[in-house]
Each structure stands twice: as C-alpha cells, then as structure tokens.
C-alpha cells in the first residue's frame, strides 16, 4: 500500500511547553485514521503541522509526497481541512461557500455549478441552496463543511473533531459521508472524543501528553489492553496523563 | 482565483448591515459638519467698552469699533474692574478702556493711549481680537491725523497706502482651504480603518484558517482585500466632490482626473497600512487601538489644521513619513491653484513609495503558518 502521511520525530514546542513530542507514524492511502487523545494531548497541534498551518520545531513530516516544512503550499493543494471551529462564511449562502472554496482550488465556474447541484442533491440540501449558512442547524453546517473540504477531491482530508456537539443520529450520517469519501480513495485523518467513533476507524493512534502511546487497529488495541471496547482502552492510557487543559 | 475572492468580499460588504450605510452617511455628515465647525476665522468678538472720557472723540472711536463686522459692543462698564467681571462671566472677549482726557490729549499732543485687554483663554480669538482692534484704532488715529493735517496744512501730503491681494483664494474663503483636506481625512478614516478591521475579524471568526489551509497566494489574498476598499474610496471621494460642489460651491481649479489619479495611489497606501496593522493584531480591540493611535498622529501632523511649515523642525522631519501630508498638499494645490501632475511630482513619488512599501510589507507580514 502507498504511504500518504509519514512523520519522523515530529515535535512542536511553544516556549518550554512541548505540545507534540517526537511522534512518528505512517498512514496508508484510503485509510480512515483515528487520531485520539484527551483535551490538550496535542492532537490539533499535530494536525495543524500536517496541514502546513504550523511549522514543526524539529522532525520531519511528508504529506501527499511533499515535505510539510519545505513545501507547505504544495501540501495544501493536495489536502482538505475541516477545523474544530466551524469556519465557513456565515454571511454567504450555501452555494456561495462551495463556489468560493472550489474556486480557490482552481476549479472552473461551470464544473463548480454542476458539481454543486450533484452534491446538494446527494445531501438532500437542494432546498437550502440559497440559505445563508448562519441559518443552518449545526449538524447541517458540519456536513456542509465536510463536503466543502472534499469538494476539490483532495488526496487526504483532515477532520478536527468534526462531530463535536452534534446529536447521535447526525453523527451516524456524518460517518456515512466519511465512508463514502474513503471509498472514493480519499484518505481520512480524523480526531475525535467519541470512543464509539474510534471503532469505525481502520486504525487509531492514542496521544497522551504529546506522545503517541498506542497505534493499531481497534481490534488489536482491545486485545492488547484486555478491554471490551475502545472506551476502556482510552481510559487505561489517559489515566497516565500528567497534563490536561481543564 | 482572485475573481472568487473578490466576489466573496463584495458580497460580504454589501450584506453587512452597517457598512454600506456608513459609506454614504459618513461623507455626508462630515462634509456638512466639519467645514463649518473647523473654521479659523474669528468673528463676533464681544467688546466691553470702558469710557472714562465721554468726549466726542471717544464717542467716535466707539462708533468705529461698533461698525466693524468683527465686533459686537455688548456692554459698557464704568470701570476697568467691572469690565473684567464681564470677561470673567464670559459676556465679553475684549475690554477697550479709553482713558480720561483722551479727547484733550488728542487735541494737544495729537497722541493718546487706548488700553486693550483681551481674554486669551481662547488664544486665537484673544490674539486675533486684539490685533483687529489695534487695526481699528490705528485706522482711527490716521483719520484724526489726516483731518489735523488738512486743518493745519492745506497742502495734501503724499499718502502711502498698501493694497493686499490674496493669491489663489481671493475671498480668503476658509472653506476652500479646509474642504479638500477634510475629504482626505474622511478617506483615511474609512479606507484605513475598514481593512484594518477586516482581516482581524476573519481571525476572530476563525474563517481565516480555512483560507490559510488552501494554496491561495499571499499577494492574491491581500489584493482581494484591497480592491473592495479601493472601490469604496472612489465612491466616497465622488460623493465628497459632489457635496463640495453643490453645498459649498467649491470645485477644483485643476482637473478631477488628477485628483482621482492621486486618490487611487493614496487609497492603496492607506489601505495597505490598515492591512499591515490588521496582520499584526490578533483581536479587534488591538487593531482598533493601534489604528486609532496612528490616525490621530497622521491627521494632526498632516497640515490639515496647522500648517506643516510652522511646526518645529524636528516635527517637520516626522511629517516626511506621513502620506496624508502629501495627499492634502495635492488636494489643496489642485483645488486652489489648478496644479497638474507635472507640478506634483514630489507628492507623486512620495505616495507611490508609501503604496509600494506598505503593501509589500502587508503581503510579507501576512503569515499563512505559525
């Protein structure tokens, strides 16, 4: 299998504080890779480095074949990103948000229009085409943000707690979208707090205090920690944590 | 790529509940208010007369003062002390005290003293008031002298008179001088502040992160932020030109095209400064405070109210780095003297340099990663 993300001793320090401490891992093409950890464990910082939003203090990272430190703009061309904070434009309409981001990635107006119609139909959003994004319920906003993040067919999509604050039914629908994307060959790199979601991933890593303490398929992690579910695995590891942001 | 970003910026500005209204209300309010308020002409000086002489000559001087359009004789007081009370309770700005034997000493010595005391709490009014009064008194004394000469000596003596003409602003219309500069102030506030707040508000909402994670070029991003405010600047300037023409009857001696040409450069420079401040601020409060700090200095040191040439030398060196100074010069020279681009090369090069440096700096200081 082809490796699309590879890090080697990736570290990020803010002053004396080591947010991400020497992490090394590989992600294969088409995988759904779960990136778990308690609040403040360093997940978002690690993800921001992989997306070229934050420069590593030391270590190396390759995303989609490009060095994240040397060629961050080339990395950006090959990825999609959905941040923890909802970040579509609330004062733009649904179709306008899609058009804006697709346009930035270099798609032609005509292609954008065609694909927008198909997307809205698939999501069942046709009636909301001309709605302002601020008027949508949170679950719809998240689905839209995800669809925008993969609209330009990136090789990899990074999702930072995409289902935060969303009801269980919508979370399920959201994961269906993730599976569809993975079926199309898009690699999914996702952070989450929900351990049931961890079970949906092909492989998961669990970060504790900036380090990756465990990395395997959910099944072998459960065997390894002698646990019934991922929740127990997570608790056994998270108990060791020295720091937390609350 | 620029096309899509511009679409976004213009839609956001037009949909804002506040911005489009501000673009029309700001120029109208400022153009109606400031030229009338920011007026250095001193009129309506209230005079208190203390006449200790009560003679025909003193009566005549009082009438002469009262006839001047600058003075209102609001009170008479029996003594200087009581005159001072009028100054203290602000019913008078100036006291004119005519001494006893004013008439007699004029008669005998053909010279007499008049005492003028002015309230200098408002320095301009006090200073100008007393110098206007001195002029009236001097005029009076030359009248008297002329009469005496005619009485004593029937040969008319040659008289030297001075005639003053004020070049470029014959009527000494203060508004013709202020209105063009107030337009500059308005453009600076709108097109300096708005971009400064724009990027920072994207930072606060978190939307900027979604743009930073795209392969968008930094220069494209900055250009997409500049062009809308540039357009707004031209609209505001056009409104100002119309208001100046139809409210104050003030129109440029030179060409409007010259003004638009310089405005195009100036607007880019000042918006570039706004973007630069926006890039280095992380909250709206920070951006507001920093922008306000610079604006006050830039406006007060631009020659808008006080001429740059009468500032101390060190302050004049500082004004070299003030883009407003150059654009105010351009506006006044084109409005009053009808100057052309050829006469304004210093200002052209200065403004071009500001435009290039500030925007280049804005592009460089915009960081897509940390």
């Amino acid at each position: 299998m082809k490796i699309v993300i590879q890090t080697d001793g990736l570290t990020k320090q803010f002053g004396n504080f080591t947010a991400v401490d020497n992490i090394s891992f590989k992600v294969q093409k088409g995988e759904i890779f779960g990136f778990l950890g308690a609040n403040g464990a360093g997940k978002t910082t690690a993800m921001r480095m992989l997306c070229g939003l934050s420069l590593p203090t030391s270590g190396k990272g390759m995303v989609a074949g490009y060095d994240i430190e040397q060629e961050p703009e080339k990395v950006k061309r090959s990825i999609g990103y959905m941040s923890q904070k909802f970040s579509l434009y609330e004062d733009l309409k649904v179709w306008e948000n899609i058009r804006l981001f697709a346009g930035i990635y270099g798609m032609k107006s005509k292609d954008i229009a065609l694909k927008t119609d198909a997307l809205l139909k698939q999501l069942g959003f046709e009636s909301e085409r001309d709605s302002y994004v601020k008027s949508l319920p949170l679950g719809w906003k998240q689905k839209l943000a995800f669809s925008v993040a993969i609209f330009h067919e990136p090789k990899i999509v990074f999702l930072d707690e995409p289902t935060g604050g969303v009801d269980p039914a919508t979370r399920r629908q959201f994961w269906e979208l993730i599976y569809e994307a993975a079926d199309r060959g898009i690699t999914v790199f996702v952070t989450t707090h929900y351990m049931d979601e961890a079970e949906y991933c092909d492989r998961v890593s669990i970060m504790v205090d900036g380090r990756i303490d465990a990395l395997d398929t959910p099944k072998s992690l459960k065997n390894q920690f002698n646990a019934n579910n991922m929740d127990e695995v997570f608790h056994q590891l998270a108990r060791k944590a020295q720091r937390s942001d609350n | 790529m620029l096309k899509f970003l511009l679409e976004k910026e213009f839609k956001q500005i037009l949909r804002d509940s506040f911005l489009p209204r501000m673009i029309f209300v700001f120029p109208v309010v400022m153009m109606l208010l400031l030229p009338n308020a920011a007026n250095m002409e001193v009129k309506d000086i209230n005079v208190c007369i203390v006449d200790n002489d009560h003679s025909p000559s003193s009566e005549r001087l009082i009438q002469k003062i009262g006839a001047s359009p600058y003075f209102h004789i609001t009170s008479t007081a029996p003594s200087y002390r009581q005159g001072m009370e009028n100054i203290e309770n602000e019913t008078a700005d100036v006291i004119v005290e005519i001494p006893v034997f004013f008439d007699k000493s004029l008669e005998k010595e053909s010279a007499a003293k008049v005492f003028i005391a002015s309230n200098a709490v408002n320095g301009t009014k006090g200073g100008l008031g007393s110098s206007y009064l001195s002029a009236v008194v001097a005029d009076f004394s030359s009248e008297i002298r002329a009469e005496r000469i005619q009485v004593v000596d029937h040969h008319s003596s040659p008289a030297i008179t001075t005639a003053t003409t004020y070049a470029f602003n014959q009527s000494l219309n203060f508004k013709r001088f202020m209105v063009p500069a107030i337009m500059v102030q308005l453009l600076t506030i709108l097109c300096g502040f708005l971009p400064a707040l724009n990027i920072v508000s994207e930072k606060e909402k978190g939307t900027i992160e979604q743009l930073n994670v795209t392969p968008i070029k930094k220069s494209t991003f900055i250009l997409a932020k500049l062009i809308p405010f540039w357009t707004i600047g031209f609209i505001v300037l056009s409104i100002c030109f119309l208001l100046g023409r139809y409210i104050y009857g003030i129109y440029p001696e030179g060409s409007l095209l010259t003004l638009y040409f310089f405005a195009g450069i100036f607007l880019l420079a000042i918006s570039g400064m706004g973007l630069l401040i926006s890039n280095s601020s992380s909250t709206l409060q920070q951006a507001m405070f920093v922008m306000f700090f610079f604006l006050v200095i830039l406006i007060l040191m631009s020659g808008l109210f006080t001429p740059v040439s009468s500032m101390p030398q060190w302050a004049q060196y500082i004004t070299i780095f003030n883009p407003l100074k150059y654009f105010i010069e351009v506006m006044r020279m084109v409005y009053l003297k009808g100057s052309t681009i050829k006469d304004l090369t210093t200002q052209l090069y200065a403004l071009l340099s500001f435009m290039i440096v500030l925007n280049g700096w804005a592009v460089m200081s915009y960081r897509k990663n940390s």
Side-chain angles (χ1 to χ4, degrees):
Chain A
M1 276 301 262
K2 208 180 147 203
I3 306 291
V4 287
I5 302 174
Q6 180 169 8
T7 71
D8 192 8
L10 201 62
T11 301
K12 179 82 183 187
Q13 286 177 317
F14 299 104
N16 288 326
F17 177 73
T18 308
V20 174
D21 189 2
N22 198 14
I23 61 173
S24 306
F25 62 92
K26 288 176 187 156
V27 178
Q28 289 172 345
K29 186 176 187 299
E31 236 187 332
I32 299 175
F33 188 85
F35 206 58
L36 275 52
N39 286 332
K43 301 177 306 252
T44 300
T45 310
M47 185 179 266
R48 286 172 51 85
M49 280 194 281
L50 295 176
C51 293
L53 286 171
S54 176
L55 293 172
T57 313
S58 64
K60 258 180 90 73
M62 299 286 284
V63 171
Y66 301 108
D67 188 303
I68 55 172
E69 202 171 355
Q70 306 300 323
E71 309 162 296
E73 296 306 301
K74 284 184 177 161
V75 169
K76 287 172 185 173
R77 217 169 290 160
S78 323
I79 63 168
Y81 173 69
M82 179 180 165
S83 80
Q84 200 169 4
K85 203 170 166 185
F86 177 75
S87 54
L88 293 182
Y89 289 95
E90 302 242 324
D91 50 353
L92 292 183
K93 293 171 181 170
V94 168
W95 71 269
E96 289 168 345
N97 267 293
I98 299 174
R99 179 175 157 83
L100 168 66
F101 285 103
I104 290 174
Y105 283 103
M107 286 178 71
K108 298 261 184 308
S109 289
K110 216 175 89 187
D111 299 339
I112 297 172
L114 286 173
K115 206 172 165 189
T116 301
D117 288 341
L119 171 70
L120 293 179
K121 200 169 172 191
Q122 185 205 347
L123 292 172
F125 269 17
E126 287 134 305
S127 56
E128 302 296 335
R129 191 189 146 85
D130 289 322
S131 306
Y132 287 110
V133 164
K134 61 174 165 241
S135 68
L136 299 179
L138 182 65
W140 290 39
K141 282 184 185 173
Q142 304 286 68
K143 280 194 264 183
L144 181 66
F146 175 70
S147 305
V148 168
I150 59 166
F151 196 83
H152 59 286
E153 297 292 330
K155 292 199 178 87
I156 307 152
V157 65
F158 291 88
L159 311 172
D160 197 359
E161 287 176 26
T163 53
V166 171
D167 65 76
T170 315
R171 268 168 56 200
R172 262 198 94 80
Q173 292 169 3
F174 196 94
W175 273 88
E176 278 164 23
L177 291 176
I178 292 181
Y179 275 116
E180 273 168 36
D183 285 345
R184 296 214 304 266
I186 297 176
T187 308
V188 180
F189 187 98
V190 57
T191 74
T192 181
H193 276 313
Y194 300 104
M195 288 308 131
D196 57 327
E197 290 185 351
E199 312 263 2
Y200 303 149
C201 298
D202 294 325
R203 282 194 306 151
V204 296
S205 73
I206 299 178
M207 268 186 102
V208 180
D209 290 350
R211 297 178 311 273
I212 291 182
D213 276 13
L215 197 168
D216 214 327
T217 61
K219 203 177 161 194
S220 26
L221 281 176
K222 280 182 279 187
N223 283 335
Q224 208 177 311
F225 287 86
N226 201 13
N228 292 319
N229 53 38
M230 283 303 293
D231 208 34
E232 287 176 24
V233 175
F234 185 77
H235 277 100
Q236 286 187 41
L237 284 164
R239 211 176 290 144
K240 300 187 298 184
Q242 302 291 311
R243 72 182 198 219
S244 93
D245 63 358
N246 0 319
Chain B
M1 201 190 279
L2 185 61
K3 177 181 82 171
F4 294 97
L5 283 164
L6 283 177
E7 247 179 62
K8 157 197 173 272
E9 298 293 342
F10 276 110
K11 277 178 183 162
Q12 286 186 306
I13 288 171
L14 290 175
R15 281 173 195 171
D16 193 287
S17 54
F18 181 61
L19 275 182
R21 276 184 251 173
M22 198 162 91
I23 293 166
F24 289 96
V25 172
F26 255 48
V28 172
V29 172
M30 276 184 97
M31 286 289 286
L32 289 181
L33 209 60
L34 287 186
N36 293 305
N39 195 330
M40 300 286 207
E41 280 176 313
V42 175
K43 278 183 191 161
D44 303 330
I45 299 164
N46 295 327
V47 181
C48 172
I49 303 278
V50 181
D51 186 358
N52 297 321
D53 196 37
H54 299 289
S55 61
S57 295
S58 69
E59 206 54 48
R60 190 167 153 193
L61 176 62
I62 293 167
Q63 267 174 21
K64 192 163 173 66
I65 293 170
S68 154
Y70 295 107
F71 300 111
H72 291 301
I73 297 178
T74 47
S75 53
T76 51
S79 70
Y80 178 72
R81 186 183 292 263
Q82 271 152 306
M84 269 316 277
E85 278 170 23
N86 285 329
I87 285 203
E88 275 159 17
N89 63 29
E90 294 185 353
T91 53
D93 302 306
V94 186
I95 303 174
V96 179
E97 188 183 19
I98 302 169
V100 266
F101 309 127
F102 176 71
D103 194 46
K104 287 225 171 75
S105 49
L106 266 182
E107 193 94 17
K108 281 185 189 155
E109 300 153 35
S110 64
K113 284 190 176 140
V114 171
F115 183 65
I116 298 171
S118 67
N119 177 5
V121 170
N122 178 341
T124 319
K125 202 168 187 178
L128 280 176
S130 56
S131 69
Y132 285 170
L133 256 179
S134 314
V136 172
V137 172
D139 202 28
F140 173 79
S141 77
S142 63
E143 264 177 42
I144 298 279
R145 200 164 295 160
E147 286 166 16
R148 295 285 151 92
I149 288 166
Q150 277 170 359
V151 173
V152 176
D153 176 6
H154 286 276
H155 303 290
S156 59
S157 55
I160 298 168
T161 54
T162 50
T164 316
T165 50
Y166 296 98
F168 307 122
N169 190 1
Q170 254 123 16
S171 51
L172 268 190
N173 181 342
F174 198 67
K175 288 182 182 128
R176 284 193 71 191
F177 182 68
M178 284 310 282
V179 166
I182 284 169
M183 294 178 188
V184 178
Q185 192 191 0
L186 184 62
L187 287 183
T188 311
I189 292 177
L190 275 174
C191 298
F193 258 108
L194 291 181
L197 301 184
N198 187 289
I199 293 186
V200 147
S201 88
E202 286 221 29
K203 278 188 196 170
E204 286 202 332
K205 285 184 191 134
T207 46
I208 200 150
E209 184 127 305
Q210 201 66 49
L211 287 179
N212 286 345
V213 83
T214 67
I216 188 171
K217 279 205 192 75
K218 293 204 278 182
S219 51
T220 313
F221 176 83
I222 292 292
L223 207 56
K225 293 285 182 196
L226 275 178
I227 292 173
F229 297 109
W230 199 59
T231 318
I232 290 175
F234 277 111
I235 296 172
V236 169
L237 189 63
S238 306
I239 297 175
C240 286
F241 286 155
L242 288 174
L243 291 173
R245 175 81 184 79
Y246 291 105
I247 294 180
Y248 300 109
I250 295 167
Y251 47 86
E253 290 294 322
S255 132
L256 272 180
L257 273 178
T258 314
L259 289 178
Y260 277 117
F261 171 76
F262 276 96
I265 302 169
F266 171 75
L267 285 170
L268 286 178
I270 205 75
S271 298
M273 190 184 104
L275 291 179
L276 183 60
I277 289 172
S278 200
N279 278 338
S280 33
S281 312
S282 44
T283 62
L284 281 172
Q285 280 107 316
Q286 267 181 33
M288 285 285 276
F289 272 118
V290 176
M291 195 64 206
F292 196 75
F293 170 78
F294 279 111
L295 269 192
V296 170
I297 293 179
L298 288 181
I299 288 176
L300 290 183
M301 294 192 75
S302 65
L304 172 65
F305 297 114
T306 46
V308 171
S309 55
S310 53
M311 291 178 190
Q313 194 58 45
W314 57 264
Q316 292 192 30
Y317 287 130
I318 296 177
T319 64
I320 294 174
F321 302 100
N322 186 350
L324 265 74
K325 179 186 102 165
Y326 300 98
F327 192 48
I328 286 180
E329 282 169 5
V330 169
M331 290 288 271
R332 283 180 172 157
M333 282 167 85
V334 175
Y335 254 89
L336 294 167
K337 288 170 72 174
S339 303
T340 58
I341 295 180
K342 253 199 304 191
D343 309 316
L344 298 165
T345 44
T346 320
Q347 286 82 354
L348 176 63
Y349 292 134
L351 287 172
L352 276 175
S353 318
F354 282 114
M355 182 190 85
I356 293 165
V357 170
L358 288 169
N359 286 292
W361 195 355
V363 170
M364 294 209 311
S365 69
Y366 169 51
R367 302 208 64 84
K368 288 184 74 182
N369 50 34
S370 51

